[in-house]
Every structure is written in structure tokens, then in C-alpha cells.
Amino acid sequence: MIQDLYKEIILDHYKRPRNRGELKNADLEERLNNPLCGDEVTVYANLRDGRLDEVAFTGRGCSISQASASMLAERLLGKSREEAEKEIKAFLEMMRTEEREDLGDLAALKGVVQTPNRIRCATLAWDAFRRGLEGETGA
Ligand code: ZN
């Protein structure tokens, strides 16, 4: 069942997070929490020649919130600022509406989130990164 596959993808990112760790003096650093569930995520990134040269996160909380941050880090690495903004927008839109095949594994997050309360778990890292991009001057 597709639902089992989705759960496996989430669990894999939760157990073996990609790019987990603090980036010191990062160009972008933004922390958000989700009091509804007790999740905390901080995202970090460095921009080089207009691209996201490094993307990382730290945090704690439920498997969905942490897997989502790991997926974000994997997904946005190497992207330009514009591509990242587009991707974040598409992801946040998907979480409010319908699953999208073009977002690949990210569909798993949509697939396992069954209640409106959990949407915040999945979008936490992405909201933080979006805020970070807005606040980052790109100097
Ligand atoms: Zn959560």
C-alpha cells in the first residue's frame, strides 16, 4: 500500500536525518516551534554564487516535523534562491490541498498527515526557511 511506503519514507528520514547539525555563522538561520505538538526546528543555510551551498537543521519533536526538516535540507540543497522559494510555495500549497507527484518524496508528508493539527508539524521547517530567505539580505 502507498500508505506504508509513505510511512517508510518518513521513518527513514526520522531515523537517518540528512544534513542534521548546526551551521555556525550561517547566512540564514531561523527557528520556529509548534506548541501544539512540542516540535522545534532551526534551519540554516549558506548561499554561494546565488545557490544554497549548505542547508542544515537542528530540532526535536515528532517524526513528521523532523523528517520534514530532513527532506527540506535534502531537497533545497544546491537550489537557487528563486528555485527554493518556488519549491517551498509548492510544498506549502500541497499541504493545504492535494498531493502532487512532481514533489516526489514530499508527497509522503501529505500522505501521512491525517488531521489539520499535524499540518503544522509538516510545514514548520518550510515556514522557517521561507522566513529565513525573506530576512536574508543576500549580501
Ligand atoms: Zn509534531
Side-chain angles (χ1 to χ4, degrees), residues 3-137:
Q3 207 61 23
D4 294 333
L5 175 67
Y6 284 163
K7 280 180 189 156
E8 249 175 62
I9 292 170
I10 303 291
L11 213 58
D12 182 55
H13 275 273
Y14 181 58
K15 286 182 174 165
R16 299 189 302 115
R18 325 298 200 258
N19 301 15
R20 187 186 174 95
E22 191 181 342
L23 284 184
K24 301 265 184 212
N25 306 313
D27 297 331
L28 181 161
E29 179 178 340
E30 193 74 36
R31 183 175 174 277
L32 270 185
N33 60 18
N34 172 21
L36 281 176
C37 183
D39 308 319
E40 268 181 38
V41 167
T42 306
V43 291
Y44 310 87
N46 280 319
L47 281 147
R48 195 167 158 189
D49 301 328
R51 298 219 160 247
L52 293 163
D53 192 43
E54 290 178 284
V55 181
F57 78 98
T58 56
R60 57 186 174 158
C62 71
S63 58
I64 290 174
S65 69
Q66 302 306 303
S68 181
S70 169
M71 289 165 101
L72 169 140
E74 188 176 57
R75 190 89 184 176
L76 298 187
L77 185 66
K79 293 226 166 24
S80 71
R81 164 192 287 269
E82 291 72 26
E83 287 166 347
E85 282 168 354
K86 226 173 118 185
E87 187 103 355
I88 291 166
K89 202 170 158 226
F91 174 74
L92 294 175
E93 199 176 286
M94 174 181 76
M95 291 308 298
R96 286 195 311 268
T97 57
E98 297 284 313
E99 272 177 49
R100 291 171 52 145
E101 280 184 12
D102 61 320
L103 290 178
D105 280 1
L106 296 178
L109 288 163
K110 175 68 182 173
V112 299
V113 169
Q114 306 291 354
T115 63
N117 276 353
R118 302 311 296 279
I119 291 177
R120 187 74 187 129
C121 302
T123 59
L124 193 63
W126 300 76
D127 274 330
F129 205 92
R130 185 174 62 176
R131 279 198 203 191
L133 279 176
E134 281 166 6
E136 200 277 319
T137 54

